[in-house]
Structure formats: C-alpha cells, structure tokens
Amino acid sequence: MNFLAKRPLKSKSSIAILSRFAQSFSTASPPSPPHHDFQNYPPTLDGLRRRLAEESPTLSDFVKLQSDHSYSVEVGTKKKPLPKPKWMKESIPGGEKYTQIKSKLRELKLHTVCEEAKCPNLGECWSGGETGTATATIMILGDTCTRGCRFCNVKTSRTPPPPDPNEPTNVAEAIASWGLEYVVITSVDRDDLLDQGSGHFAETVKKLKILKPEILIEALVPDFRGDAVCVEKVAKSGLDVFAHNIETVEELQNVVRDHRANFKQSLDVLMMAKDYAPPGTLTKTSVMLGCGETPDQVVKTMEKVRAAGVDVMTFGQYMRPSKRHMQVSEYVTPEAFEKYRLLGMQMGFRYVASGPMVRSSYKAGEFYIKSMIESDRAVSST
C-alpha cells in the first residue's frame, strides 16, 4: 500500500498567509497565486492531483517552454562546452560583514557549507544582501563526510576525525555574538557514529537557544539512515525549521546521491520530523535542477513531497563544483523556475523559493520563513 496516497495534506491556508507577507515586505518575491478552496478535494495525493489539473500550470506549459527552447539552455559537449547563461553569473564576495564573519569562523575553527560547497550566494549572504542582515550556514560535526554524493564538493572519508566536543558551545557562542535573527545549522553525514551525530546536533541547538532564545534556528540534517530515534532527538531539540534535502527527483536518486540515501527514506525522515516536532515547526526540502530530470518527474516529485506534509520547498540550478563531479545536463531558465514556484504554491506549499541561484539555505527564503513563523506565533498567542 502506498501510504503517501492516504496521508493527509497538513497545510490549509498557506497561500493566503504568504500573500499577506508579499504585501508587507519590499524584498518579497512576485505575488503568490490567489487562495483556493482546498476543501472541495479529498486531502490525499489523488485529491491533490485532481485539484492541480483544474487550477495550476500544467505539464503542457513546460512542454511548450521546451519546444520554444525557453525551458533550458544547453551546456555543450565535453570538448566544446558552452558558456554559462547570463543569469548564472556569480558576484565576487566582499564587504566589511563578509570579512568579519570569515575572520570569526577561522578564529573559532568553524566550518560553513557556504565555503565547503562553493555556494554562489556566499558573497550576498555574508555581506548582508538587500536586507542588511548577514547570514551564514554553519556546518557542524567536522568538514569530512562519510558519504560521496556525485554533486557535492565536501571531502569524504570512511573514518573522519571524531567530532569536537567543544563545538556545540563554540558554535552557539559564535552565532549568538553575531546578532543574527535566523541561522541555518547543517552537517556532514556521520554514519561512523552510533547516533550519527544527532546528539551533537541537538546539543548545538539547545545551547544556542539558551544563549539567544529569540533566534530562529533551521537545522538542515542528514537522513540518519531513517533512524526514528535520531530524527526525534533533533526534532525535539528546540529548532524552528527541520530541513532535509531530497536533492533530486525520485528517478535519479541512485545517480545523484550516495547509495545509502534514497527517496523514500528521505520522505520518511521529513514525515517523522513533522510528527515528533512541536506544533508550528516547519519542514523543508530542496531539489536541484539540471541533473537530467524531466518536467514530468519534477512535478510528480513535488506531488509526493507535498503529500508528505512538507511546508517549504526550494529549487535551484545544479552547478558542477569540479570536473570530478557529475556533469550539468542543462541550465534551466528563470522562466521555468518561476513556473515551478507557481505550481508549488498551487499545491499548497507554504513557501517555494525557485530560481537558478537559489540554494536550500537561501537568504531570501529564510527572510520569508522567519516572517511566517513570527506570524504563526502571533496568531497562536491571541
């Protein structure tokens, strides 16, 4: 039996809520689609598909983009690669805040996924960007992963060094001293540890909340091999957003990710987190485009993610870190990314960030999520 088909959709009034935020902030993305009455459809995967057939962008829209050569741009061949399209140009990191954060990280011997994964948004996030608030995604449990996904630039080893026992304290103190309002804490996979690093994760979150109770914490976690005890430990640690990335469409999991990861396991982790975490905790996942997926596969993956009760989904362009990594299949256009955003909002996701330079830890997305959490809490307190 496919339990996803019978799992209720948990978000009901999300589009109306997000629409209010779009009107409240100057940094908001394009207006969200209007609210629709979801109650006319059963809260199942089949009901979701029936509603989308009537209300949303369809696969024919993506097919039309492909036929018009507006869906993506070719990357060329190995011998004759084509230049990146103009929308994929990166800015050079710099600025006073950027320098301060980098210096503090080196001083405390902390790692960021921003640097390890060569994120194209590093300069914008560390320097403050449009909102003026600098952010960094801190990577705990060391800088060496026990897995070897074909897209990732983080170094790997079967036996990485043991975690630094002082790291939770150092990370908490560093983040608290920066004056951030929203922070993302992530980690490498640690299959070598008995608890796969979940205890280290939970301790870091708890210590940071003690030092700065008002800070909003997003934990971007591994799959913990689907271990419910590990998921529960992190989900109940005091975080505000539980994030775990499925990375790619269901059909390409074994091509893109390490063999120990898979689509069902990742969805199970996200669903367990929703069940274990306190009410109001958001769940979030991310997908890379340009790995060889088709629009049909993307849409079906979105349907299953939404049916699993996930609140937030992001889409970004896969960028090859080096020649040793998986090749980019195509550069998806901003127009196609926008259609996925609209489709996601119609599906009932509370927020969708979708664009070539979007990453799972995306500054603009964090700004929106922060607003959603604050609004939810304001409503619940009245």
Side-chain angles (χ1 to χ4, degrees), residues 67-259:
S67 64
D68 294 342
H69 302 288
S70 300
Y71 180 82
S72 64
V73 173
E74 294 181 358
V75 299
T77 64
K78 187 174 182 179
K79 291 185 177 180
K80 292 185 177 181
L82 296 175
K84 293 179 182 177
K86 60 182 180 181
W87 62 79
M88 293 302 300
K89 303 301 181 182
E90 303 172 24
S91 59
I92 300 174
E96 183 179 353
K97 289 183 179 179
Y98 168 86
T99 304
Q100 289 175 348
I101 287 180
K102 186 169 184 177
S103 175
K104 192 70 173 180
L105 289 168
R106 297 293 83 80
E107 176 188 335
L108 296 174
K109 298 181 180 179
L110 300 179
H111 307 282
T112 69
V113 73
C114 319
E115 295 173 291
E116 298 294 336
K118 297 182 179 179
C119 179
N121 300 314
L122 187 151
E124 176 192 358
C125 293
W126 285 22
S127 63
E130 293 180 357
T131 65
T133 302
T135 61
T137 300
I138 300 296
M139 187 165 70
I140 61 175
L141 291 165
D143 63 351
T144 305
C145 187
T146 53
R147 299 190 185 181
C149 297
R150 294 186 63 207
F151 64 88
C152 186
N153 196 53
V154 175
K155 58 186 176 183
T156 64
S157 172
R158 292 181 180 178
T159 55
D164 177 3
N166 297 319
E167 187 176 53
T169 299
N170 288 341
V171 168
E173 290 178 350
I175 294 173
S177 70
W178 287 336
L180 305 179
E181 297 177 341
Y182 189 111
V183 67
V184 181
I185 301 174
T186 189
S187 78
V188 291
D189 284 274
R190 292 302 301 255
D191 299 283
D192 59 312
L193 302 177
L194 287 177
D195 72 346
Q196 301 175 70
S198 58
H200 200 84
F201 232 119
E203 184 183 359
T204 303
V205 173
K206 289 176 181 177
K207 288 195 171 185
L208 178 53
K209 281 289 188 178
I210 290 173
L211 291 175
K212 193 171 184 180
E214 72 276 13
I215 195 170
L216 298 179
I217 302 175
E218 175 181 324
L220 175 56
V221 304
D223 60 23
F224 299 125
R225 295 202 298 267
D227 189 317
V229 174
C230 296
V231 174
E232 182 178 12
K233 192 180 300 181
V234 177
K236 292 182 176 179
S237 65
L239 52 77
D240 301 282
V241 180
F242 184 104
H244 170 65
N245 292 341
I246 60 172
E247 308 294 5
T248 187
V249 298
E250 184 173 9
E251 292 82 357
L252 295 181
Q253 292 283 313
N254 62 348
V255 175
V256 174
R257 304 175 75 188
D258 184 274
H259 67 90

Side-chain angles (χ1 to χ4, degrees), residues 12-38:
K12 295 181 179 179
S13 58
S14 56
I15 297 178
I17 293 173
L18 192 63
S19 179
R20 291 200 296 272
F21 291 133
Q23 297 170 6
S24 303
F25 299 101
S26 60
T27 55
S29 54
S32 303
H35 176 66
H36 294 274
D37 186 2
F38 296 169

Side-chain angles (χ1 to χ4, degrees), residues 17 20-21 280 350 370-382:
I17 293 173
R20 291 200 296 272
F21 291 133
R350 294 198 61 185
K370 174 179 177 292
S371 302
M372 284 195 292
I373 294 172
E374 290 175 347
S375 177
D376 288 350
R377 290 177 179 173
V379 171
S380 63
S381 64
T382 57

Side-chain angles (χ1 to χ4, degrees), residues 263-302:
F263 188 76
K264 181 182 182 302
Q265 182 169 267
S266 288
L267 278 192
D268 286 347
V269 166
L270 289 162
M271 287 189 289
M272 283 189 286
K274 179 65 79 173
D275 291 336
Y276 287 133
T281 304
L282 300 178
T283 50
K284 175 184 173 185
T285 196
S286 181
V287 165
M288 300 176 293
L289 301 183
C291 299
E293 72 289 331
T294 66
D296 179 59
Q297 291 170 344
V298 176
V299 172
K300 288 179 179 177
T301 297
M302 292 172 69

